Amino acid sequence: MDDTPDLFTPDAWYRLGRGPRYEQLYRHISAAIGAGDLPPETQLPPERELAEIAEVSRVTVRKAVAQLVEDGVLEQRRGAGTFVRAPRPKMEHSLSALLSFTEYMRQRGKTSASRILRRGLFLPNPDEQIALGLAGTDRVSRVDRLRSADDMPMALEWSSLPVDILPDPEAVQTSLYDILRAAGTAPTRAVQRITAVNLIGADARLLNLPDGAAVLRIDRTAYLPTGRPIEFTRGLYRSDIYDFIAELRLDQTP
Ligand code: 16G
């Protein structure tokens, strides 16, 4: 524990204009744990001491620590203190299950929410025309959303669907797939293309990440059982939270 106080002095974690202090402290401790600067079983200085070193109030420390406890990276042991937990696997997102964001978060005991950034009916752009098999004169229903789980921003998603599949984009509250399911038009197959990209500008701010942070970009085209493409969604997913797992099987057909 001897070297740990240096990790918490303000110059190590605080930057003006980069968000509330508790959030910056939270991100800093989280990154230090991820980088191995605070190995498992390291004991954090007590709250009062940490507040003094970090030059913040105890409330700020408490909020940051509470979030880290919730994330499962810190553990509070009664009467003993706060310790770094042994690493837990990241959220594994199976690539073979066709899950919606809402279902995926529910499986992990988290409550998802959507902030609508923009929605409406538009003429399709070339990417949408190709993915959805639309003519330039058709209309496309678009919903752009910031997705969060337990109030933490997780992903940005730009979804486009043919207008007969989603006639009213205003109907999307939290889950797009719930609406499709209710209409009997939920996709049963999807193809995804995954790329690593660096965030800039507004996208970084919306996801609460610094400029240049690496995220996963996933383009999903989803199909009805008939083979008709009905959803094209481009999403940016926080790579510090998501781990996409693909299961591979040996093809045993002769
Ligand atoms: C997932 C899908 C996205 C879909 C959304 C629907 C990936 C990479 N993408 O985020 O294509 O539109 O779920 O979720 O998994 P919802 O029903 O909660 O709106």
Side-chain angles (χ1 to χ4, degrees):
M1 211 173 104
D2 293 339
D3 299 334
T4 52
D6 287 348
L7 267 173
F8 304 115
T9 51
D11 54 317
W13 64 271
Y14 181 68
R15 299 281 176 278
L16 196 68
R18 289 274 175 90
R21 281 168 211 270
Y22 80 90
E23 239 175 63
Q24 290 198 40
L25 186 59
Y26 157 74
R27 283 204 295 264
H28 174 73
I29 299 177
S30 183
I33 293 171
D37 295 337
L38 288 169
E41 292 304 312
T42 306
Q43 183 175 7
L44 244 58
E47 185 180 285
R48 186 181 35 80
E49 207 177 301
L50 188 50
E52 266 169 30
I53 304 166
E55 297 176 29
V56 292
S57 72
R58 290 178 69 164
V59 177
T60 299
V61 170
R62 204 171 304 146
K63 272 176 93 169
V65 168
Q67 185 63 52
L68 291 156
V69 169
E70 204 185 309
D71 291 352
V73 295
L74 289 182
E75 185 180 12
Q76 279 168 326
R77 297 184 195 149
R78 202 177 273 271
T82 305
F83 295 82
V84 178
R85 286 180 66 153
R88 186 177 65 150
K90 284 204 253 180
M91 285 188 185
E92 290 185 354
H93 197 154
S94 169
L95 283 174
S96 52
L98 184 57
L99 288 180
S100 73
F101 182 90
T102 307
E103 289 165 326
Y104 173 62
M105 289 305 167
R106 194 181 297 136
Q107 280 187 359
R108 278 149 190 83
K110 295 189 180 283
T111 306
S112 47
S114 296
R115 188 172 125 206
I116 307 283
L117 303 173
R118 187 185 68 148
R119 61 182 156 192
L121 303 180
F122 300 87
L123 288 173
N125 63 33
D127 284 348
E128 291 165 329
Q129 286 176 40
I130 294 168
L132 300 172
L134 298 175
T137 49
D138 287 333
R139 300 238 274 173
V140 77
S141 200
R142 284 191 202 140
V143 185
D144 303 347
R145 297 178 290 171
L146 172 66
R147 316 295 313 262
S148 50
D150 289 353
D151 295 327
M152 192 173 172
M154 297 271 183
L156 278 167
E157 289 186 323
W158 295 267
S159 299
S160 310
L161 297 94
V163 78
D164 62 307
I165 297 291
L166 184 66
D168 180 13
E170 301 286 327
V172 181
Q173 297 297 327
T174 299
S175 172
L176 169 66
Y177 278 21
D178 277 356
I179 291 183
L180 299 181
R181 231 171 266 127
T185 53
T188 53
R189 190 175 79 85
V191 175
Q192 295 187 165
R193 178 185 293 267
I194 305 182
T195 335
V197 294
N198 294 106
L199 280 180
I200 41 153
D203 293 347
R205 282 192 293 281
L206 284 166
L207 284 174
N208 218 351
L209 291 172
D211 260 339
V215 293
L216 297 170
R217 189 180 82 187
I218 304 184
D219 288 350
R220 171 185 286 197
T221 308
Y223 302 83
L224 290 180
T226 58
R228 180 181 173 201
I230 51 120
E231 179 205 355
F232 175 65
T233 292
R234 168 158 293 179
L236 295 178
Y237 301 86
R238 287 183 57 154
S239 53
D240 53 337
I241 295 171
Y242 276 94
D243 225 357
F244 285 85
I245 303 295
E247 185 186 83
L248 308 176
R249 282 175 204 266
L250 183 65
D251 185 359
Q252 298 201 326
T253 50

